[in-house]
Structure formats: C-alpha cells, structure tokens
Amino acid sequence: MTELAGPLAIVAGVLAVGGAMKIADPAATQAMLGALGMPAAPWLARGLGLLELAAGLAAALLGGRVASAAVAGLYLVFAAVAWRLVRGGQASSCGCFGRLSAPATWIHVTADLAAAAVAVGAAVTAAPGLAGFGASGPLQQVTLLALVAIGTWLGVAILTVLPATLVAARRVPARAAVQEFRIGPPAAR
C-alpha cells in the first residue's frame, strides 16, 4: 500500500534525525537514562542513537514489514519512556534529540503513539520505502521528497520546540497587552 510510504518516511525520518543527534551529543540521552534509573553511559546513548538511525533509514528508504515493525517498536518504547518521565514528575529531558531535547511532556507520548500507529500500519501493509515508491515522474519524486523533508522537520519541531515553548509559557504568567479599553466615562475605583 503506497499511501503509507510518505507518512512512514516522515516518522522514520524523525527517528533517524533523533538517532543522529544522540550519536553527535549523547548527554541529554544519558540524563534521561539516569532519570529512569538505568545505566547512563555515553556508549549506551550512542548505541541507542545508532539503532534509531539504522531503523529510521531502513524504513524511510526501503520500507517493508521488518523495518516498519522496528520503527513501530522503537516509538512504542519511547512512548512508554515519555509516559514514565511525565507520570513520575521528573522534569527530565526526553533525550530525543541531543542538545535540542525538550522536557518530556504528554506531547511526546501522543506523538510517539501516533508515529507508532503509522509504522504499524506500514508494517501490516508492507508499505514501500522511498526507494521503492513508484512516483510517475521526476516532479512527483521531488515533490514527495520535499513533503517528506517538511514533515520530518515539523515532526522534530513538535518534539523539541513545542514542549519547551509550553513549559516556558507555564513559567511566565500571561499579561494583557492592554490594561483596559473602555468607551464611555472612566470606571469608579
């Protein structure tokens, strides 16, 4: 089923970006592992990143049942980890994207479950990867690649920028830009 090739490439792309970021900067992943009471060695964080990068690239490029199932499994593990961090009240980084990682929130749980659902659907239908997607011409291929790149970028932003923004918004009380605007006589105080 080719309808899931694009969505699979997007969720696999987000996974691959996260893996590459963990390899480059494992500190946030180490902190997350430590918050969960797990060994927080740099080699473990980088190994997880390598696994994510390999699964994400395989699913995005090749597709198929095995690579899609691997992506689904990783996202289910990430949803469980994010759920545990959020439920435990730890203000720990999700460890998703190296130094760009945000504090774990319900956004992470929801996004990880949605990505897992896409990957499960792709595994069930044996969705092809981008290399096997039969776009009818160069324009369609370029358009598909552009949409996958934009979707991947938005996926990363949802997991990094949005949670951090919402956490910051809770710390700073909102103020009205205008104290009060009234037409008529001034109100008695």
Side-chain angles (χ1 to χ4, degrees), residues 87-176:
R87 292 285 295 168
Q90 295 122 322
S92 176
S93 165
C94 67
C96 305
F97 297 95
R99 64 180 169 74
L100 298 179
S101 298
T105 65
W106 289 109
I107 293 168
H108 288 87
V109 177
T110 304
D112 289 340
L113 290 174
V118 167
V120 165
V124 168
T125 61
L130 294 176
F133 187 72
S136 64
L139 183 58
Q140 279 187 327
Q141 291 171 346
V142 169
T143 303
L144 176 63
L145 290 176
L147 290 173
V148 167
I150 291 168
T152 299
W153 179 79
L154 287 172
V156 171
I158 286 169
L159 292 170
T160 57
V161 177
L162 183 59
T165 301
L166 293 176
V167 168
R170 281 189 216 110
R171 282 189 301 231
V172 178
R175 290 187 171 176

Side-chain angles (χ1 to χ4, degrees), residues 9-126:
I10 291 169
V11 298
V14 171
L15 185 66
V17 168
M21 299 293 280
K22 283 179 182 73
I23 293 167
D25 185 4
T29 305
Q30 288 177 254
M32 178 271 301
L33 291 170
L36 294 173
M38 299 175 68
W43 66 267
L44 185 58
R46 284 193 169 105
L48 179 58
L50 186 61
L51 177 64
E52 290 176 41
L53 181 61
L57 289 177
L61 297 175
L62 306 174
R65 294 183 195 278
V66 174
S68 298
V71 168
L74 285 168
Y75 273 114
L76 288 173
V77 168
F78 297 153
V81 166
W83 179 81
R84 185 167 168 208
L85 289 171
V86 171
R87 292 285 295 168
Q90 295 122 322
S92 176
S93 165
C94 67
C96 305
F97 297 95
R99 64 180 169 74
L100 298 179
S101 298
T105 65
W106 289 109
I107 293 168
H108 288 87
V109 177
T110 304
D112 289 340
L113 290 174
V118 167
V120 165
V124 168
T125 61

